[in-house]
Amino acid sequence: MSVKAVTHLNFRGDARAALAFYRSVFGGHEIVVTYKDAGNVQDPAEADQVMWGQVAADNGFAVMAYDVPARMPWNRGESAFYVSLRGDTADEVTTYWEGLSDGATVVQPLGPAQWAPLYGMLTDRFGVTWVVDVVSEYERREGEDAAVKTRAPGRTGIVAR
């Protein structure tokens, strides 16, 4: 089993630009999944915004980001990040979820999602918001042409660089 915690940054429409910037600074690979890619469009105007993105480098740098939908509260500097906890198996992730749930406010119950085998979000008793999930197929298939599209300027979709 392995688990790692990664800072998950929250933006309002700037996640794609932020990920590209962090990649330019730290190197590594960038993956971008839009709300449309994940089949989770609730507002057509936000379909091409980042539902989940990541930059990970061989030097150990890793950061995740997404565009907070307009229907959810967001205030730059007040809800600027989550801690993302990802595991390889449902059993592993469920164990951590159960521990973090003690005294927590559940934002999204742990369960299957269109974009991950298991996903949930909670704010722990100390006010830290955790995004907990099993590694998604987008990451598992990062190198496969069928799942990863290279983005040309202005093109949306899953991006891996």
Side-chain angles (χ1 to χ4, degrees):
M1 288 199 294
S2 71
V3 66
K4 65 180 179 177
V6 177
T7 302
H8 189 290
L9 304 172
N10 302 330
F11 297 93
R12 182 79 84 190
D14 294 324
R16 188 184 303 269
L19 289 166
F21 171 72
Y22 297 135
R23 181 178 176 265
S24 76
V25 172
F26 296 100
H29 301 283
E30 178 183 342
I31 301 172
V32 172
V33 178
T34 66
Y35 286 94
K36 181 172 49 180
D37 294 330
N40 191 32
V41 176
Q42 295 187 27
D43 179 347
E46 297 172 341
D48 292 327
Q49 288 188 354
V50 177
M51 191 190 91
W52 176 80
Q54 173 178 282
V55 171
D58 291 340
N59 63 12
F61 175 81
V63 68
M64 292 182 192
Y66 97 117
D67 287 310
V68 178
R71 70 182 186 285
M72 294 176 65
W74 179 83
N75 186 329
R76 184 177 186 159
E78 289 182 26
S79 55
F81 70 93
Y82 297 145
V83 177
S84 175
L85 182 67
R86 313 192 94 191
D88 292 326
T89 68
D91 288 342
E92 175 184 27
V93 165
T94 300
T95 299
Y96 294 124
W97 175 267
E98 289 170 354
L100 289 168
S101 294
D102 182 21
T105 300
V106 174
V107 177
Q108 174 68 43
L110 188 65
Q114 290 175 314
W115 58 90
L118 201 58
Y119 169 87
M121 182 187 296
L122 59 79
T123 301
D124 71 19
R125 60 184 163 184
F126 301 104
V128 176
T129 300
W130 295 79
V131 177
V132 179
D133 66 347
V134 173
V135 176
S136 74
E137 288 302 310
Y138 293 116
E139 276 192 292
R140 292 186 203 283
R141 299 183 298 178
E142 177 181 341
E144 296 178 19
D145 292 339
V148 181
K149 307 169 198 168
T150 302
R151 179 183 58 146
R155 183 175 165 198
T156 60
I158 302 169
V159 178
R161 294 188 199 152

